[in-house]
Amino acid sequence: MPPKDRFSTTTRLRLLGEQAVVRASERVYRARPVRRSRLTGRAALLALVLCALIVALAYPMRQYVSQRAEIADQRTEKERSAARVERLRDEKARWQDEEYLRRQARERLHYVTPGETSYTVRDGSADAERDRDGDGAADRPWYDNLLDGVDTADR
């Protein structure tokens, strides 16, 4: 006589059905590709290190750029100063020339050489200015006007 099974036919069918469902789901599971996260641990660590480097280098780079701009400004200022020094040297050399000195004295201070006669031509603007100011500055010598200007500035 064959050994007696411990389970009934119904129980066996139910177990076989469950096993079939499990096998079918395993086949479906194997058929689908396994989806992994694109961000692995190494990639996350690399991203973290890159961010740390960017943050660490941001301030020194800003300082570097601002210092380069300041250096450029200083060079421009140096070139301007050198050009000004050159102009002043030229002017100093001109003032060393006796003829230039005489010409400037004649133009600016209205000097005349011995034997010359000085003429002052006045146009209407000086009279209008004197009438407006009321102090007659055009009629006075230049040095009085200069000293008045100094006194006015001193006050």
Side-chain angles (χ1 to χ4, degrees):
M1 177 166 171
K4 207 170 194 197
D5 290 330
R6 292 190 307 174
F7 301 109
S8 66
T9 306
T10 309
T11 307
R12 265 192 242 145
L13 287 175
R14 191 176 41 155
L15 285 175
L16 285 174
E18 288 174 1
Q19 289 173 356
V21 167
V22 168
R23 278 183 290 196
S25 67
E26 284 177 359
R27 278 189 221 129
V28 170
Y29 179 73
R30 283 188 215 139
R32 279 191 289 172
V34 176
R35 198 161 194 201
R36 290 187 176 184
S37 173
R38 288 185 174 187
L39 186 65
T40 62
R42 286 182 183 172
L45 182 62
L46 179 63
L48 182 66
V49 168
L50 286 176
C51 288
L53 282 175
I54 289 171
V55 168
L57 293 177
Y59 182 73
M61 285 303 293
R62 187 175 66 100
Q63 290 294 97
Y64 174 77
V65 169
S66 68
Q67 287 175 358
R68 295 303 299 175
E70 188 175 336
I71 288 170
D73 291 342
Q74 292 294 326
R75 284 184 179 151
T76 303
E77 184 63 30
K78 177 185 169 188
E79 291 168 2
R80 274 194 227 125
S81 296
R84 184 169 184 264
V85 165
E86 192 61 33
R87 282 193 311 272
L88 290 173
R89 282 186 181 148
D90 291 344
E91 186 176 347
K92 180 181 176 186
R94 280 195 308 267
W95 281 102
Q96 300 298 322
D97 182 23
E98 192 70 29
E99 187 59 37
Y100 180 78
L101 193 62
R102 282 191 192 113
R103 188 172 54 239
Q104 292 300 314
R106 290 173 71 93
E107 289 175 11
R108 295 181 182 199
L109 304 175
H110 304 287
Y111 278 14
V112 292
T113 56
E116 289 183 339
T117 303
S118 175
Y119 295 100
T120 304
V121 178
R122 294 177 34 187
D123 59 358
S125 64
D127 293 333
E129 184 178 323
R130 183 181 66 230
D131 293 340
R132 189 177 65 236
D133 292 340
D135 63 356
D139 294 333
R140 296 186 303 180
W142 65 269
Y143 47 85
D144 284 340
N145 292 334
L146 177 67
L147 292 175
D148 285 346
V150 171
D151 289 339
T152 303
D154 189 37
R155 280 186 243 134

